[in-house]
Amino acid sequence: MSGYTTSRAFLEALAEAGVRYVFANLGSDHPGLVEAYARARAEDGADALPELVICPHESVAMSAAHSYAQLTGVPQAVVVHVDCGTQNIGGMLHNAAKGRVGVLLYAGASPFTQEGELLGSRNEFIQWIQDVHDQRGIVRGYTKYDNEIRTGHNVKQLVHRALQLARSEPAGPVYLVGPREVMEAEVPEQHADPALFSPVAPAALAPGVVERIAEALAGARNPVVVTSYLGRDPHAVPALVELCESLALPVIESVPMHLNFPADHPLHWGYQWNAQQANPLLEAADVVLVLGSDVPWIPTQNRPSAGARLFVVDIDPVKEQMPLWHVPAECFARADLGTAVAQLRERARELADPDVVAGRAETAAAEHERQLSELAGREHPDGEVITPEYLVACVREVIDDDTLVLTEAITNYQVVNEHLRRTRPGSLLGSGGGSLGWSAGAAIGAKLAAPDRTVVSLVGDGSYLFGVPSSAQWVARRYGTPSLTVIFDNQGWKAPKQSTLGVHPDGVAAERDDFNVSFAPEADLPGIAEAAGGAWGRTVRVASELKGVLVEALDVVRSGRSAVVSVHVPAV
């Protein structure tokens, strides 16, 4: 008996591929993994395996792996319990899929023997109940790849292939399952070279496409760039700045989940989310270049004019996983965004007319200054009432450029972007998807990925509760990943109310203010974090106390302890 099992080979393969952390919620399907870790520690070989991070809730594990990969570009692993644990990460799996983030998700499977024929055979009642027809089918709509580990003899190949697919653009989650008997089985020591499983190399634009787009931009009267996630690659942001400066191209960020363009740049033309009115800047454009966006505009509300020429450049230009999607573009091109922008930049410099560029730059800068002036006028409390704009302005004042901000403020997404005004690529992250609760675990993964940076999460009260804060705060305490959570506490769900008003502005719900969205009676939101994770907590109800509390909270976080500040803003 060598003690070298499929489980040991599986964990070795993860480490060989650069996986530093396994975020785990363990169950009866994982004895092989538990034993492999214990044996490695007993033999002083634990450094050869990824560090195990225990997460009492699966969504926390998935979100932590998600944000770690966002910051480093290296997928991490999540281990969950058969079908039940797989279903428990559903919302966060959606976020990783829609945010194009590589994560390797592993779940055990119920043992396939029941008479003791093999080590790991069924010995608990739950293993009959958790034996489902198609466990892999639970996640198939959200993963790039799924497979079953059937033998330890090729487990390293499966792991490296899965991670190769997870890292290849468009990146995304992958899923492996392993029956208990297989993961317990002894095998010869396994070897595989991860260098032979590199992700697909970045794709470039064809020369003819570069020429077509560059000529359209150079010859336009009012060109505009629209982007949502070019900033997934922080190195692409400076290249976009150079492209835009070469032709004086203004930039609009549509539902951004990353910093795509410095907010203080004179060519930055603001943000659009769910505004129910037209964007006059987009309407006036005669050429629109969409660089990485799933929702560049909402067709019924703020689309470009019918005569505008539209071009789409994206790692996923026709949104193959979205059943209903269309932009009436004359050209769709698949390319790595940083590579494409660099190509366009070089050709644009050759085509640029200095007089035209100077005139457009002056007009764009004037619009940028107008927007800044208008926003500054909103950054005041209403007496002692804390407005969302004032709250974000206070956060902006107390953090520095190096602070990593996670945004999950939902109905205040636009307020956060407009008033936080981040300028450093990679300093602002969102989930990329639509399932709430991401930031709680994401703060853990972000701090593990960037231990020297201060992590601040801006969340709604609903998002905070969705994040299972009791679990997240406990994990943060155990693994030394302190962060500051600032809650926009409007005492309810504002998003469903806004959606109802958007469809039924004069309905009975509006007439009677009957939306079923109140969180009364009020919960002690910081108290949850204090009880579960030993966090420092405060609730702020008046504007005059806000800045002082935020400064104190940041001092606490920098000393090594998490802090949660719940800020009362106008009620929903």
Side-chain angles (χ1 to χ4, degrees):
M1 299 287 287
S2 69
Y4 188 92
T5 63
T6 304
S7 291
R8 173 64 185 243
F10 170 77
L11 294 171
E12 285 180 351
L14 293 177
E16 291 163 4
V19 174
R20 185 172 178 183
Y21 296 101
V22 171
F23 299 94
N25 190 287
L26 298 171
S28 59
D29 45 337
H30 302 135
L33 298 180
V34 172
E35 182 66 14
Y37 270 114
R39 182 179 288 269
R41 286 190 290 267
E43 298 172 353
D44 295 326
D47 290 346
L49 307 183
E51 181 179 346
L52 191 65
V53 177
I54 300 303
C55 300
H57 197 281
E58 293 87 348
S59 69
V60 174
M62 191 70 185
S63 296
H66 180 157
S67 64
Y68 189 99
Q70 282 179 294
L71 285 165
T72 66
V74 182
Q76 301 299 289
V78 174
V79 169
V80 298
H81 179 49
V82 290
D83 62 321
C84 298
T86 298
Q87 292 180 88
N88 237 13
I89 54 91
M92 301 306 110
L93 177 62
H94 157 95
N95 288 339
K98 300 306 179 182
R100 297 168 178 82
V101 178
V103 176
L104 187 146
L105 174 62
Y106 168 82
S110 286
F112 54 78
T113 60
Q114 64 179 12
E115 304 290 347
E117 301 97 319
L118 297 170
L119 183 62
S121 186
R122 295 184 185 185
N123 62 353
E124 300 177 40
F125 81 91
I126 201 68
Q127 290 154 354
W128 280 267
I129 296 170
Q130 292 171 337
D131 188 5
V132 297
H133 285 296
D134 186 10
Q135 182 175 315
R136 289 154 57 190
I138 297 169
V139 302
R140 200 164 287 133
Y142 300 90
T143 55
K144 294 185 66 180
Y145 170 80
D146 66 85
N147 205 346
E148 178 181 335
I149 300 170
R150 297 181 174 91
T151 173
H153 291 270
N154 68 353
V155 64
K156 288 196 174 184
Q157 294 178 37
L158 292 189
V159 169
H160 290 311
R161 171 166 166 74
L163 287 168
Q164 179 184 41
L165 288 163
R167 295 168 61 198
S168 296
E169 294 290 1
V174 294
Y175 184 66
L176 294 175
V177 300
R180 200 163 72 163
E181 295 95 329
V182 172
M183 301 305 289
E184 293 284 351
E186 291 200 346
V187 292
E189 189 170 336
Q190 297 298 299
H191 302 280
D193 185 354
L196 302 179
F197 294 85
S198 61
V200 173
L205 294 173
V209 174
V210 173
E211 190 70 18
R212 186 176 178 184
I213 296 175
E215 285 184 350
L217 293 172
R221 186 178 64 260
N222 294 311
V224 168
V225 172
V226 177
T227 184
S228 299
Y229 54 76
L230 174 136
R232 287 177 64 241
D233 175 8
H235 299 293
V237 177
L240 178 59
V241 170
E242 292 176 6
L243 167 64
C244 292
E245 288 176 344
S246 68
L247 290 176
L249 303 175
V251 175
I252 295 172
E253 295 190 68
S254 182
V255 293
M257 291 289 179
H258 301 265
L259 188 150
N260 302 294
F261 201 79
D264 62 350
H265 197 286
L267 290 172
H268 195 286
W269 266 9
Y271 310 87
Q272 59 184 30
W273 290 80
N274 282 333
Q276 299 300 297
Q277 64 274 349
N279 184 330
L281 302 173
L282 193 56
E283 275 191 327
D286 58 341
V287 174
V288 181
L289 173 59
V290 179
L291 281 173
S293 179
D294 291 338
V295 189
W297 48 78
I298 298 175
T300 58
Q301 304 298 337
N302 52 12
R303 69 193 305 162
S305 67
R309 298 180 66 190
L310 310 181
F311 300 85
V312 174
V313 177
D314 206 312
I315 54 172
D316 180 18
V318 292
K319 315 304 171 191
E320 295 172 12
Q321 296 302 311
M322 293 185 185
L324 177 63
W325 187 92
H326 179 62
V327 167
E330 63 181 77
C331 177
F332 296 87
R334 188 187 305 275
D336 170 74
L337 294 172
T339 303
V341 167
Q343 291 178 279
L344 291 169
R345 176 191 62 199
E346 297 309 311
R347 185 60 179 132
R349 286 171 174 168
E350 297 170 355
L351 296 172
D353 181 325
D355 293 334
V356 172
V357 171
R360 289 203 303 228
E362 184 177 351
T363 299
E367 170 60 23
H368 177 77
E369 287 301 318
R370 184 198 67 76
Q371 291 184 14
L372 286 183
S373 177
E374 181 180 311
L375 293 172
R378 303 176 192 168
E379 294 181 349
H380 304 287
D382 182 7
E384 284 285 17
V385 175
I386 302 169
T387 64
E389 292 83 357
Y390 178 65
L391 169 54
V392 179
C394 289
V395 172
R396 184 185 71 227
E397 290 182 22
V398 300
I399 64 176
D400 58 26
D401 290 341
D402 190 53
T403 299
L404 177 58
V405 180
L406 309 182
T407 174
E408 199 175 20
I410 313 305
T411 55
N412 285 303
Y413 267 139
Q414 183 150 340
V415 171
V416 169
N417 282 92
E418 288 178 337
H419 296 273
L420 204 60
R421 300 176 199 156
R422 302 300 280 167
T423 60
R424 176 177 168 178
S427 66
L428 181 67
L429 292 179
S431 73
S435 189
L436 307 188
W438 164 82
S439 60
I444 296 165
K447 189 65 176 177
L448 289 172
D452 296 330
R453 298 179 69 177
T454 301
V455 177
V456 175
S457 298
L458 303 181
V459 305
D461 48 348
S463 301
Y464 176 77
L465 291 170
F466 271 121
V468 198
S470 56
S471 174
Q473 291 291 333
W474 178 88
V475 176
R477 184 180 189 181
R478 174 164 173 163
Y479 294 99
T481 58
S483 67
L484 168 61
T485 302
V486 178
I487 304 170
F488 293 71
D489 188 357
N490 58 12
Q491 300 94 63
W493 276 320
K494 189 175 180 181
K497 179 176 180 179
Q498 287 185 332
S499 297
T500 303
L501 290 172
V503 178
H504 301 287
D506 302 312
V508 176
E511 178 185 345
R512 298 172 63 88
D513 192 24
D514 184 9
F515 296 95
N516 298 294
V517 294
S518 172
F519 282 172
E522 179 183 354
D524 182 1
L525 302 181
I528 298 171
E530 292 179 82
W536 181 95
R538 293 289 187 277
T539 296
V540 182
R541 295 179 172 84
V542 295
S544 57
E545 297 178 0
L546 180 58
K547 287 185 183 179
V549 170
L550 291 175
V551 170
E552 187 176 357
L554 279 171
D555 287 341
V556 168
V557 170
R558 288 166 181 152
S559 73
R561 181 184 178 192
S562 286
V564 175
V565 177
S566 180
V567 182
H568 277 219
V569 296
V572 63

